Amino acid sequence: MSAELQMGVISAGGGSYRYVPTGQVDGAARLPYALTVLLENVLRCVADPDQRQRCAERIMAAARSGSAGDEVEFSPARVLFQDFTGVPAFVDFAEMREACARLGGDPEAINPQIPCDLVIDHSVIADVAGAPDALERNMRLEFERNAERYTFLKWAQSSFRNVSIVEPGLGICHQLNIERFAAGVMLSDAGEVVRDAAALSRAGRLDKAADARGRESTNAGVVATGAAVVGVEVASAPSDASAQAAASAGVGCDGTSDTLPLAYFDTLVGTDSHTPTANGLGVLGWGVGGIEAEAAALGQPITILVPKVVGVRLVGRLDPAASAMDVALYFAQMLRAEGVVGCFVECFGPGLAGLSATQRTCIANMTPEYGSTCTLFPVDERTLEFLRLTGRSDAQCQLVRAYAQAQGLWHDPAEPERSYARVIEVDLSSIEPSASGPSRPHDRFLLRDARERFRAVCAERGLDCSLRVDVSLPTGDERLAHGTIALAAITSCTTAADPRMMLAAGLAARNAVRAGLAPKPWVKCVFAPGSHAGTVMLQRAGLMEALQRIGFHPCGFGCMSCIGNSGPIAQPLQQVSDRIELASVLSGNRNFEGRISPDVSQNYLMQPAAVIAYALAGTMDFDVCEGVLGHAPDGSPVRMADIMPDGDELDRVYARFVTAEAYEQGRRETAGGAGNWEALEAPAGSLFAWDDASTYVRRPPYFEGMGAHPAGCDAVCEARALAKLGDFITTDHISPAGSIALGTPAARYLQERGVEVRDFNTLGSRRGNHEVMMRGTFANVKLANELVPGKRGGWSFDFCEGAVRPLFDVSERYRSEGVGMVVLAGCMYGSGSSRDWAAKGPKLLGVRAVLAKSFERIHRSNLVGMGIVPLQFLEGQGADELGLDGSERYTVRPIDFAAGLPSPREVAVRARRDDGGEVTFRATVRVDTPTEGRYLQHGGILPFVLRNLVEASR
């Protein structure tokens, strides 16, 4: 690689654009697709030439060795927020402005530097389902509950630059991301970011750019080497004479015109762990915590270790009976077993062409469930087909093709295989309809084995499958057993974004109606489309009426059941949920214990058409493939095979109704709450007027007492364990998003401030109020804290009083006495959603370190971002193996982060028992990059960024 950065010119769709060619780095053609994108990013964004070269060399070295490499900087092109994480992010921005002013800086310096899209999709709850007016009623309730939050967001949209907020009722952030926001290639022109080349043409900018390009070719001596569709030029640094001529013609020192728009890869980070959905379109992005996303929005590069890249070679073609969801669940099981945590995964091979773009996005959506950072699909004709369908201009599609071909992101099955750490082959033709559960997405089984799997779960849990309980329903008395399905939900961006699965569900509903079948009366049926395009297609195909006739009325355009916003199940089932284990079936991506509903113990993921079949069956204790679902009017038995759509018919319906016109109509439609959003009156001004009486939005305490210079990392000395936890503790366990239970510290706080129980809303909706969120930390009703055996929920043991008390109250007691706190945990601590409050909450409680066997990638980063030290037991060790029961006092030897990386890398930890005995062991300090060490030195990423911005603004 030359020390002088080279630029190129690319021509496509009637325009010319500057770009940074990855081909200027020797060997770049063999890079995995994902590392190609990463290479372009560091070449373009790292300003210091020496650092830029080091980052490029680190990417190349990691690819050659097939192992993880050293630290590089990644500067995403944009940030995607959903409202549960977006509200606290902008609350932090608002407080950072005030803190900036207190420290002598310019508050206006606190402003997103790159495009930020925030979609309000996490707040709507399925309070009403199975009714024609469910959508309207749920939207009305949503606005009644969330007016304070939404008013704050409207203020944020007008107060901050580069912020676009999508109002409630339009769809799910990941589906809207692929249908509207993702560009494939971004453009920067005169300081303005543009997502579609046609916008430049409409503004007349491309005419000016084309004229400049003509001058450039004449004066800078650049020779075009174009192909039929694309002209590509790479300009080396010109001679002094040509540089002087170029300057007079408005051409940069690299031989390209400074007036040409700059083209670059569309990349992103998002505050939801399923941000990799966009990977299906060739857009590199992944989920990060809200803290890290805030820093990225403010212009701070994200530092990562160059990851290993695992290639998945796809062969064969998907059987018509199998869906993209079946492939996604197969990936979750297979790649979890393969051990790809922290890796980049990417797909290639001859089987790729048989998957539509939305099938790819479904597979990529499941990325966090096997622990990788991304699951990238390269660009090909299927990608461009989807971009055209969803309204991207012809000029933009031509640019995406040209840029992908020039930069090595275009998939050519005939090209030599890229350089991977290892390659796994997947035969798509071997994948069968499947499901996963009851509590982890990677616990996959074939649908034909579902009853056997359910009974094995019952045996593992010691449940008596012959037990029956009597319930009275409006339709009559019923005798129900373990596995009774309380909830059947067609929901989530995982499946709703794929029109083929949605149309298959519509055809299954139509066939069920024709056979005279209906869901069992105790099943709550939730239908939450991911955008209006899906409902438009169902309506045009004449299938929406059938879905409604079997109870699947649209009840909200949002995440709903997939994030736990299921609303109440039938009251008679609630009353027996402590006697039998109820089940849910949903077409989502998460089924963690306690997530979908506090009354439901078993949750099973599957494709939407299978959700309908189980709604008809009413129980998991049923052979769904061979059993009789009911009888047709002529008395003939009806089985699942009789209602599942025929592959040929599905192909015909798909070809006829999945059209650009349907997507365009979907963009035009809005839900019934649009007027509510317009009616909200937001305050004006760059500083937010905090309302001390608000129980939704409060000034956060992160910058209280913060000085201009860092004080260093807090010591851990004689700390008490606040919780001792097992394996696979999820962020849902640490910071639940669901309902606020009566009698809990969060409920007491709200009631003390006059909030009625009916107005509690959810913990997720209260994330703009740190007082509620602190009290909701570790408050999941299913959490098992081993300090209090036999109890579940937000409880701990107060070693000062020798009594079991609410965990929040215990933390308050320790804080009042100056006692530090730690958390002990097992494997994969912090799995699941990229939930910043799972780090913010413990920080505010007073937790200074977490000792675990291993950490989930995003959560470990979030802990560092909040100034909590992640300590990992050495291989083969853990709390139980060391004989620790959590009653000890923990002291961690001082760790020095002055040089960035921790010193020592392995630190001594002493656990002292009250009887004088002690256990000493070593733990790895999981601060993996020098930048993370600097964050901890400053007390977290936000103080680090704030100090830098204050200094720069003076």
Side-chain angles (χ1 to χ4, degrees):
M1 174 184 170
S2 169
E4 184 77 35
L5 182 65
Q6 299 177 334
M7 298 293 290
V9 175
I10 194 168
S11 299
S16 296
Y17 312 88
R18 290 181 299 145
Y19 78 110
V20 181
T22 57
Q24 64 190 284
V25 178
D26 291 339
R30 291 293 312 282
L31 280 177
Y33 299 105
L35 294 190
T36 299
V37 179
L38 199 58
L39 177 62
E40 186 274 341
N41 194 274
V42 302
L43 291 178
R44 175 172 47 84
C45 298
V46 178
D48 179 76
D50 293 336
Q51 176 66 1
R52 180 171 62 233
Q53 187 152 353
R54 279 194 296 272
C55 286
E57 289 171 351
R58 288 170 179 174
I59 292 171
M60 299 306 299
R64 286 192 297 270
S65 67
S67 59
D70 293 326
E71 179 183 76
V72 297
E73 296 178 1
F74 172 65
S75 298
R78 54 193 178 90
V79 180
L80 178 68
F81 293 95
Q82 36 91 339
D83 60 297
F84 271 14
T85 50
V87 168
F90 282 91
V91 165
D92 290 349
F93 289 160
E95 171 57 8
M96 285 179 80
R97 280 189 169 176
E98 296 189 8
C100 185
R102 290 196 298 268
L103 293 172
D106 178 8
E108 292 293 334
I110 309 300
N111 203 85
Q113 303 298 302
I114 56 177
C116 294
D117 298 304
L118 189 155
V119 180
I120 302 175
D121 62 357
H122 272 51
S123 295
V124 63
I125 301 174
D127 291 286
V128 183
D133 62 348
L135 176 61
E136 179 184 338
R137 292 165 65 188
N138 288 331
M139 285 289 291
R140 184 169 63 250
L141 287 168
E142 178 183 1
F143 271 88
E144 289 174 1
R145 291 172 174 142
N146 296 285
E148 282 185 52
R149 297 170 65 238
Y150 294 171
T151 299
F152 171 78
L153 288 177
K154 285 197 76 173
W155 168 82
Q157 185 170 24
S158 62
S159 180
F160 293 100
R161 297 187 302 275
N162 295 320
V163 175
S164 173
I165 294 180
V166 177
E167 66 189 67
L170 296 189
I172 300 173
C173 64
H174 304 304
Q175 187 160 344
L176 295 183
N177 190 26
I178 64 170
E179 291 181 3
R180 303 187 189 186
F181 308 148
V185 177
M186 302 282 278
L187 295 167
S188 177
D189 182 60
E192 180 183 350
V193 175
V194 180
R195 303 196 205 198
D196 196 305
L200 294 179
S201 179
R202 287 193 295 270
R205 298 179 192 168
L206 289 185
D207 296 336
K208 178 183 70 174
D211 180 60
R213 182 168 177 262
R215 296 196 305 272
E216 164 200 310
S217 298
T218 301
N219 295 302
V222 179
V223 179
T225 57
V229 176
V230 53
V232 179
E233 305 163 0
V234 177
S236 299
S239 65
D240 290 344
S242 65
Q244 186 175 2
S248 67
V251 179
C253 66
D254 51 24
T256 62
S257 170
D258 285 339
T259 62
L260 290 176
L262 177 67
Y264 52 98
F265 282 118
D266 179 10
T267 57
L268 78 153
V269 293
T271 59
D272 189 281
S273 53
H274 296 97
T275 299
T277 305
N279 295 170
L281 300 184
V283 174
L284 182 64
W286 56 84
V288 296
I291 311 149
E292 203 168 6
E294 291 171 35
L298 294 172
Q300 175 74 22
I302 291 173
T303 58
I304 62 170
L305 300 178
V306 182
K308 287 195 298 186
V309 183
V310 176
V312 177
R313 185 173 187 270
L314 300 176
V315 299
R317 194 173 185 88
L318 203 59
D319 185 274
S323 69
M325 182 63 161
D326 299 313
V327 183
L329 294 177
Y330 178 87
F331 267 53
Q333 180 188 49
M334 179 267 295
L335 290 173
R336 176 66 72 177
E338 287 283 344
V340 298
V341 173
C343 296
F344 280 3
V345 171
E346 63 183 44
C347 299
F348 67 99
L352 193 64
L355 294 175
S356 70
T358 52
Q359 287 176 318
R360 299 172 190 182
T361 61
C362 172
I363 296 164
N365 178 279
M366 200 63 72
T367 295
E369 315 322 329
Y370 40 89
S372 73
T373 304
C374 67
T375 305
L376 187 67
F377 289 77
V379 175
D380 64 1
E381 294 294 348
R382 303 304 295 271
T383 315
L384 300 181
E385 174 186 291
F386 180 76
L387 293 177
R388 292 190 189 96
L389 269 177
T390 49
R392 277 68 166 199
S393 70
D394 186 60
Q396 180 67 15
C397 293
Q398 288 191 46
L399 175 59
V400 171
R401 177 198 294 275
Y403 189 81
Q405 290 175 342
Q407 293 283 59
L409 193 63
W410 185 264
H411 181 253
D412 180 358
E415 74 173 6
E417 190 174 287
R418 306 289 177 109
S419 179
Y420 295 110
R422 67 182 189 274
V423 174
I424 303 163
E425 185 165 290
V426 173
D427 183 356
L428 294 172
S429 66
S430 69
I431 294 176
E432 300 181 49
S434 56
S436 78
S439 60
R440 296 187 301 188
H442 59 272
D443 290 337
R444 169 185 170 267
F445 52 88
L446 297 180
L447 206 55
R448 53 185 164 86
D449 297 330
R451 187 180 203 178
E452 180 181 337
R453 169 63 178 160
F454 166 73
R455 291 192 168 180
V457 169
C458 290
E460 292 166 8
R461 299 183 176 186
L463 305 178
D464 179 6
C465 288
S466 66
L467 175 68
R468 297 292 184 271
V469 297
D470 295 319
V471 298
S472 295
L473 300 168
T475 53
D477 294 340
E478 301 282 354
R479 306 202 74 200
L480 303 179
H482 293 296
T484 293
I485 293 173
L487 178 72
I490 299 175
T491 183
S492 172
C493 48
T494 314
T495 53
D498 180 30
R500 188 175 184 88
M501 278 192 280
M502 298 302 284
L503 291 170
L507 290 170
R510 181 204 64 187
N511 295 339
V513 169
R514 287 177 176 176
L517 304 185
K520 292 295 185 285
W522 55 81
V523 179
K524 180 175 183 176
C525 297
V526 171
F527 182 27
S531 82
H532 287 259
T535 55
V536 167
M537 293 171 197
L538 288 165
Q539 288 164 349
R540 289 185 170 197
L543 300 173
M544 182 62 79
E545 182 183 355
L547 282 162
Q548 293 170 333
R549 286 185 62 182
I550 62 168
F552 285 91
H553 295 265
C555 57
F557 289 87
C559 302
M560 286 197 147
S561 292
C562 196
I563 60 159
N565 286 356
S566 301
I569 62 172
Q571 188 174 16
L573 269 66
Q574 283 182 314
Q575 294 169 347
V576 298
S577 62
D578 60 343
R579 298 169 57 194
I580 57 174
E581 288 204 354
L582 300 174
S584 75
V585 289
L586 66 154
S587 61
N589 48 43
R590 290 270 164 83
N591 56 347
F592 302 137
E593 186 179 25
R595 178 184 178 96
I596 309 304
S597 166
D599 299 309
V600 174
S601 300
Q602 300 188 30
N603 306 294
Y604 294 90
L605 306 179
M606 59 192 66
Q607 62 164 296
V611 169
I612 289 175
Y614 270 105
L616 303 175
T619 177
M620 289 301 300
D621 196 7
F622 177 77
D623 186 343
V624 74
C625 291
E626 297 298 330
V628 176
L629 293 170
H631 291 83
D634 63 4
S636 60
V638 181
R639 294 178 171 82
M640 184 177 179
D642 300 316
I643 68 166
M644 294 299 278
D646 170 79
D648 290 338
E649 182 185 17
L650 182 55
D651 287 341
R652 292 192 300 272
V653 172
Y654 184 94
R656 183 177 175 187
F657 296 105
V658 181
T659 63
E661 292 76 18
Y663 278 107
E664 173 59 28
Q665 183 180 337
R667 280 192 296 274
R668 291 195 305 266
E669 289 193 4
T670 59
N676 292 328
W677 177 260
E678 293 302 322
L680 292 174
E681 294 185 6
S686 61
L687 297 180
F688 184 67
W690 304 99
D691 179 1
D692 290 339
S694 174
T695 57
Y696 276 102
V697 178
R698 295 185 66 82
R699 178 188 283 111
Y702 310 125
F703 308 108
E704 290 179 358
M706 189 185 106
H709 303 287
C713 187
D714 289 339
V716 180
C717 183
E718 294 288 290
R720 284 291 192 182
L722 189 59
K724 181 175 182 287
L725 308 169
D727 294 338
F728 287 99
I729 293 298
T730 71
T731 52
D732 282 291
H733 287 116
I734 305 167
S735 180
S739 58
I740 299 171
L742 278 173
T744 62
R748 290 203 310 268
Y749 170 88
L750 292 172
Q751 287 177 310
E752 288 167 1
R753 283 149 186 83
V755 178
E756 299 289 339
V757 174
R758 66 175 181 274
D759 297 323
F760 275 6
N761 211 334
T762 63
L763 283 164
S765 69
R766 298 270 180 186
R767 286 180 182 167
N769 183 343
H770 62 280
E771 296 285 3
V772 174
M773 297 310 296
M774 290 169 61
R775 290 161 172 79
T777 300
F778 295 113
N780 187 301
V781 294
K782 300 293 185 181
L783 181 70
N785 184 351
E786 295 175 20
L787 298 182
V788 284
K791 289 186 76 70
R792 294 219 168 205
W795 299 93
S796 187
F797 191 83
D798 185 338
F799 290 100
C800 293
E801 285 193 4
V804 174
R805 300 177 63 207
L807 184 142
F808 172 76
D809 295 346
V810 175
S811 73
E812 286 290 280
R813 172 67 180 269
Y814 290 162
R815 285 205 303 159
S816 69
E817 299 192 6
V819 177
M821 285 161 269
V822 299
V823 170
L824 307 178
C827 297
M828 289 303 294
Y829 179 75
S831 299
S833 302
S834 55
R835 193 161 292 173
D836 57 339
W837 269 108
K840 285 180 173 178
K843 173 71 172 181
L844 293 179
L845 292 181
V847 172
R848 296 179 181 176
V850 176
L851 293 96
K853 288 185 175 181
S854 63
F855 294 89
E856 191 276 339
R857 174 186 64 84
I858 299 175
H859 186 62
R860 184 202 63 80
S861 176
N862 280 344
L863 291 173
V864 172
M866 285 308 300
I868 297 175
V869 181
L871 300 175
Q872 188 163 311
F873 291 108
L874 300 185
E875 187 68 30
Q877 293 186 352
D880 292 339
E881 289 82 354
L882 292 167
L884 305 175
D885 62 13
S887 64
E888 305 84 2
R889 298 174 184 265
Y890 294 84
T891 298
V892 180
R893 291 291 298 272
I895 306 167
D896 184 6
F897 295 103
L901 288 171
S903 178
R905 186 66 176 169
E906 285 187 5
V907 67
V909 183
R910 184 188 70 200
R912 185 174 63 83
R913 300 189 181 98
D914 289 341
D915 64 5
E918 65 179 46
V919 176
T920 302
F921 58 96
R922 302 190 72 79
T924 302
V925 184
R926 285 298 314 278
V927 177
D928 296 347
T929 71
T931 300
E932 289 185 342
R934 288 190 282 274
Y935 294 160
L936 276 170
Q937 188 76 2
H938 280 258
I941 191 171
L942 296 182
F944 172 83
V945 172
L946 178 58
R947 288 187 177 105
N948 285 344
L949 290 173
V950 168
E951 185 65 29
S953 71
R954 283 174 174 164

